Amino acid sequence: MVVCHLLCRSNTILYMVHMENSMIRVLSICILLLFSTTVSAYELLMYSNKHCGYCVKFIKEVVPTYEYKTPSGYMELTIIERGEEPQWFITAYIENRIKPLKGTPTFIIWNGRKELARLIGYSNKEAFYNRLDIVFE
């Protein structure tokens, strides 16, 4: 009787472990799908300089209400300050996945791996969004 009881308990434990492993697999697949979707979406990188009047104007006029939808979803805006570049940006630049930067503001359409297109300069909010529309036509 004790052996049977232990056997039943060990089968239950094995079943529970099997359930946990299945749940881990399902969660892993969900996380993988979540991140693969994120990587395929576009991101707008703004290479900025705090001493650049056009950069300051863009931050004042566009950033508070920025929203842009591409065919693959909403495009996030990430501002990268000159002299404070994150390591991933520096690496992409060194590996020529981001082309040379000659001025600010420079807007880079980024797919998570490389630069796809860029806009240089800023004049006003309407012209900025019109230029983005042209890129995604």
Side-chain angles (χ1 to χ4, degrees), residues 112-129:
R113 293 178 298 279
K114 66 180 183 174
E115 175 179 334
L116 301 176
R118 71 169 50 191
L119 306 172
I120 299 172
Y122 175 78
S123 59
N124 63 60
K125 188 175 186 174
E126 182 180 350
F128 169 75
Y129 282 111

Side-chain angles (χ1 to χ4, degrees), residues 8 20 24 28 43 49 55 60 73 85 99 116 130 136:
C8 289
E20 286 179 19
I24 289 170
S28 297
E43 184 176 3
N49 179 345
C55 299
K60 180 182 175 190
E85 298 87 347
K99 304 299 179 210
L116 301 176
N130 287 339
F136 286 99

Side-chain angles (χ1 to χ4, degrees), residues 4 11 30 33 35 50 57 84-85 96 101 104 116 136:
C4 182
N11 282 343
C30 290
L33 289 173
F35 283 111
K50 59 186 167 199
K57 183 178 178 186
E84 300 173 15
E85 298 87 347
N96 204 32
L101 296 159
T104 57
L116 301 176
F136 286 99

